[in-house]
Amino acid sequence: MSAAALLRGPGSLLLRASSGCWCRRFWAASGKTAPAASPGSGARSPFDRQLKRKQKNWAALQPEPAKYDYLREEVGGRVADRVFDITRTFPLALDVGCGSGYIAQYLNKETVEKLFQVDMAENALKNTMETEIPTVSVVADEEFLPFKEDTFDLVVSSLRFVLIISLKFNIHQVLKPDGVFIGAMFGGETLYELRCSLQLAELEREGGFSPHVSPFTDVTDLGHLLGRAGFNTLTVDTDEIQVNYPGMFEIMEDLKEMYGSNDGSVPATFEIYYMIGWKFQESQARPAQRGSATVSFGDLAKINALISRKK
């Protein structure tokens, strides 16, 4: 099957050779765009996908983008490690919100035979890192994955805020039965020090405060989200990555260069959640429903009496 046959809608094909491997690019429709904040409000909607695309394209064109990619590089390597922990080969994989290929650079042909890389910023895909895996680059919004159902054996994603929406509506659909999802996203304690310092300063000066950092998902909510999206055999673990900055302005400068924004509404991280979920086949057994058990641990006290009666 050709790569174009996997897309739900039409797309134009560009061909590019890359470090001994072939790389194809598709352009796909990005779907609807969430409305921006109301005029005159002075606020920017965190769900404005048009604005987010402009920010990411701007960041990818900066003179030294790799200088600010230390966080994505580190987390991309850790996601790849979790792929290696699964002892099987994935013929077809998808990287949602790939950026410059922070996960792909660590993978190999023995684990992934072919990789689709999706990002809404075409400038990021123009500068993807070298990898030994054949890749196909698709310019599309991560909220509206343009692929047919039951296409991929593996889906990975790293540090994408839109991952929560894509988990519920897209990723489970494009996975094949018995496929695996492995992703990483920002955790609830991310930028805790920065949030506290901004709130204390505003309380002292203004008598109140407003949020300057995007909200983050709690680890307990993430497990429920994976389950509601249809995944089974769930694993969620947490890592903390501490980056020391000389001051708040240095943090904001890094955020600006990482994510193409200097309004303080986009996250960097100190806490990372790693998620693994499987899409079961219809024929596979499901976990029993809560409350369906016929015995409990309280019945263990009766074992001795039952054994004695049998003797």
Side-chain angles (χ1 to χ4, degrees), residues 259-282:
Y259 297 96
S261 173
N262 60 357
D263 60 3
S265 63
V266 289
T269 184
F270 298 117
E271 183 177 60
I272 310 294
Y273 293 158
Y274 296 91
M275 307 158 285
I276 301 177
W278 295 73
K279 180 179 178 180
F280 279 8
Q281 300 184 40
E282 292 301 321

Side-chain angles (χ1 to χ4, degrees), residues 97-236:
C98 64
S100 297
Y102 304 102
I103 301 176
Q105 63 177 328
Y106 296 104
L107 299 175
N108 56 48
K109 293 181 180 179
E110 288 72 28
T111 305
V112 175
E113 295 179 357
K114 185 176 178 181
L115 178 68
F116 275 68
Q117 296 177 298
V118 173
D119 201 282
M120 66 190 304
E122 59 271 19
N123 290 336
L125 292 174
K126 291 177 182 177
N127 300 299
T128 51
M129 303 176 187
E130 292 186 0
T131 175
E132 64 180 65
I133 305 170
T135 60
V136 177
S137 297
V138 179
V139 181
D141 195 325
E142 298 94 326
E143 285 189 16
F144 307 95
L145 296 177
F147 302 104
K148 297 179 180 179
E149 294 185 7
D150 302 336
T151 297
F152 297 99
D153 305 279
L154 169 70
V155 175
V156 295
S157 185
S158 178
L159 300 186
R160 286 296 174 232
F161 186 65
V162 76
L163 184 58
I164 295 177
I165 300 174
S166 191
L167 261 176
K168 187 173 182 181
F169 297 106
N170 293 296
I171 291 177
H172 189 268
Q173 293 181 359
V174 301
L175 265 178
K176 292 180 180 178
D178 202 31
V180 185
F181 165 71
I182 301 177
M185 65 178 298
F186 300 107
E189 295 301 315
T190 294
L191 286 182
Y192 176 80
E193 297 86 352
L194 178 61
R195 283 183 286 170
C196 288
S197 61
L198 290 173
Q199 290 175 8
L200 289 173
E202 277 197 299
L203 282 171
E204 179 182 337
R205 300 274 180 158
E206 307 291 341
F209 66 89
S210 58
H212 291 273
V213 180
S214 295
F216 302 101
T217 305
D218 188 76
V219 66
T220 55
D221 296 330
L222 196 58
H224 296 314
L225 175 65
L226 285 168
R228 291 178 61 184
F231 290 97
N232 296 276
T233 316
L234 309 176
T235 301
V236 180

Side-chain angles (χ1 to χ4, degrees), residues 287-296:
Q289 294 293 325
R290 183 180 295 273
S292 63
T294 57
V295 294
S296 67

Side-chain angles (χ1 to χ4, degrees), residues 56-73:
K56 293 179 66 176
N57 273 321
W58 176 88
L61 289 178
Q62 295 313 295
E64 296 180 292
K67 179 180 178 181
Y68 301 93
D69 285 345
Y70 51 87
L71 196 58
R72 293 193 183 103
E73 293 264 5

Side-chain angles (χ1 to χ4, degrees), residues 14-47:
L14 298 176
L15 187 63
R16 184 189 69 169
S18 175
S19 64
C21 295
W22 55 268
C23 173
R24 292 180 178 176
R25 287 184 183 168
F26 289 86
W27 294 74
S30 61
K32 297 179 179 179
T33 302
S38 57
S41 64
R44 295 179 179 180
S45 169
F47 304 106

